[in-house]
Amino acid sequence: NPIKSPFEAIGGEDVINRLVDAFYARVSQHPDLSPIFPDDLTETARKQKQFLTQYLGGPNLYTEEHGHPMLRARHMPFEITPKRAKAWLSCMQKAMDEIELDSPLRTEFFHRLVLTAQHMVNTPDDEE
Ligand code: HEM
């Protein structure tokens, strides 16, 4: 098949691995995010690599191991506020910069992540 999936077009497994590792390195240092993530992000990163692979049209690695993603439901145990969604997206944007993801697909990929992050929000920001 001469038509590449977005997964292949952005560089496949190697690029997803580098992106997700750079992303969780930032998440673990982010004051709004680190409190809700486990200290050891090894398994979280492994699942995110599987998820983003299939999100971009690559092999369905996440579903093969974990079943339907049901992402919003899987995030319900955590307070996902608009502030945390912004922080998550900021870590992802900086991770894309860090690995120099300059694919023409980057804008579209990031825009889909914005929509998905907004969909995960399940708690309002604190009123101060
Ligand atoms: C898991 C936070 C957005 C994909 C998690 C976990 C937290 C979290 C705390 C559990 C980590 C663990 O226990 O291992 C957030 C926050 C978000 C956000 C604060 C801000 C909006 C997203 C988005 C995606 C995503 C946009 C996908 C594009 C995943 C996946 C998992 C996960 C695949 C693993 C689910 C599983 O346990 O199988 N997230 N997340 N998250 N998140 Fe998010």
Side-chain angles (χ1 to χ4, degrees), residues 24 33 36-38 44 47-48 51-52 55 62 66 71 74-75 78 80 84-85 88 113 116-117 120:
Y24 284 111
L33 297 175
I36 61 166
F37 278 88
T44 311
K47 288 177 178 169
Q48 189 64 273
F51 180 79
L52 290 180
Y55 189 77
Y62 183 91
H66 313 287
L71 267 199
R74 290 191 204 261
H75 286 75
F78 312 101
I80 314 290
R84 285 193 171 126
W88 192 104
L113 292 172
T116 304
M120 293 306 128

Side-chain angles (χ1 to χ4, degrees), residues 58-73:
N60 290 328
L61 303 179
Y62 183 91
T63 296
E64 281 165 16
E65 185 171 331
H66 313 287
H68 191 288
M70 304 180 301
L71 267 199
R72 192 166 195 281

Side-chain angles (χ1 to χ4, degrees), residues 55 88-90 92-94 96 105-115:
Y55 189 77
W88 192 104
L89 290 165
S90 162
M92 183 58 79
Q93 186 129 52
K94 287 175 180 161
M96 287 178 172
L105 291 169
R106 173 176 166 160
T107 304
E108 198 180 335
F109 179 23
F110 190 77
H111 181 64
R112 275 189 73 200
L113 292 172
V114 172
L115 299 181

